[in-house]
Amino acid sequence: MITESKRLICIVILFMLLVFPLSAAAANHVVVIDPGHGGSDMGVKLSKSVYEKDVTLAIAKLVRENLSGADGIEVRLTRLDDKNASPANRRKIARKSDVDLFISLHVNAGFGVKAKGYEIYYPAASVPSIKKSSSGEILKDMKQTRRLNSCVRFAQIVQKDMGKVFPREGRGLINAPVLVLQSITAPAILLEMGFATNIESKKKLRDEKIQKAVADALSKSIKKYFSTNGAS
Ligand SMILES: [Zn+2]
């Protein structure tokens, strides 16, 4: 027997479901941010106590914070704290079928003490085979071309937005076989944000205001990428 109070509860639940549909929170676009290094793998040294692993994690977290209220965008990180995520684990997170964009964050070193600026790597295109034996192979090639176009389009957006944080410090887009990017099916870039071997550059990367500016620029780029037609 249904009591009066149970009937009232049922009515209230039905009303709530009508007013707040369960699907409202679903994200349309998933971005994976990969803060380079972590744990005992410290990356390059920026000061006595600050390493590449700290800066990449701080910026990744800021991007996630920035976009947490953004319409239809979900940000996932390959590591949430100072632990070294194995390359296999990073790839596992990045290769999930719903991932739309992958960004790996790093800090450069070398090329002499004067070298500074940011570099954006995108995956090298595989050499197309001349003989096409099946429609499956042609389709695979088309998919790869589409992915490569998306990588370049996103890299160009990032290059422009990063240029506002580090004016005239862009070292260009580099098409290279970067291991972490090659194994991912979603459009992907690796951003080298500056040089630990340059005094001015490493000072900037340690600065929390600059870290926030880099995170803001990346957040803007991600929003722009998804709001422009052709985003996959
Ligand atoms: Zn690195």
Side-chain angles (χ1 to χ4, degrees), residues 116-118 159-160 162-172:
K116 62 175 181 176
Y118 58 95
Q159 190 183 35
K160 209 170 159 195
M162 282 290 288
K164 285 167 197 154
V165 185
F166 302 121
R168 295 174 302 281
E169 287 191 21
R171 293 167 61 93

Side-chain angles (χ1 to χ4, degrees), residues 37 52 106-107:
H37 311 277
E52 181 181 0
H106 287 263
V107 177

Side-chain angles (χ1 to χ4, degrees), residues 89-149:
N89 256 341
R90 291 179 204 255
R91 277 199 291 272
K92 203 173 149 196
I93 296 168
R95 291 179 74 171
K96 287 210 168 119
S97 59
D98 60 348
V99 173
D100 299 299
L101 194 59
F102 177 85
I103 306 162
S104 192
L105 298 177
H106 287 263
V107 177
N108 231 333
F111 304 102
V113 289
K114 282 187 179 167
K116 62 175 181 176
Y118 58 95
E119 289 176 344
I120 304 163
Y121 288 82
Y122 64 97
S126 60
V127 182
S129 56
I130 297 160
K131 281 187 232 159
K132 291 276 175 261
S133 54
S134 73
S135 56
E137 278 179 45
I138 296 168
L139 204 68
K140 204 177 148 197
D141 261 13
M142 280 168 70
K143 262 189 183 171
Q144 277 182 356
T145 309
R146 208 182 314 142
R147 175 187 179 237
L148 197 62
N149 289 342

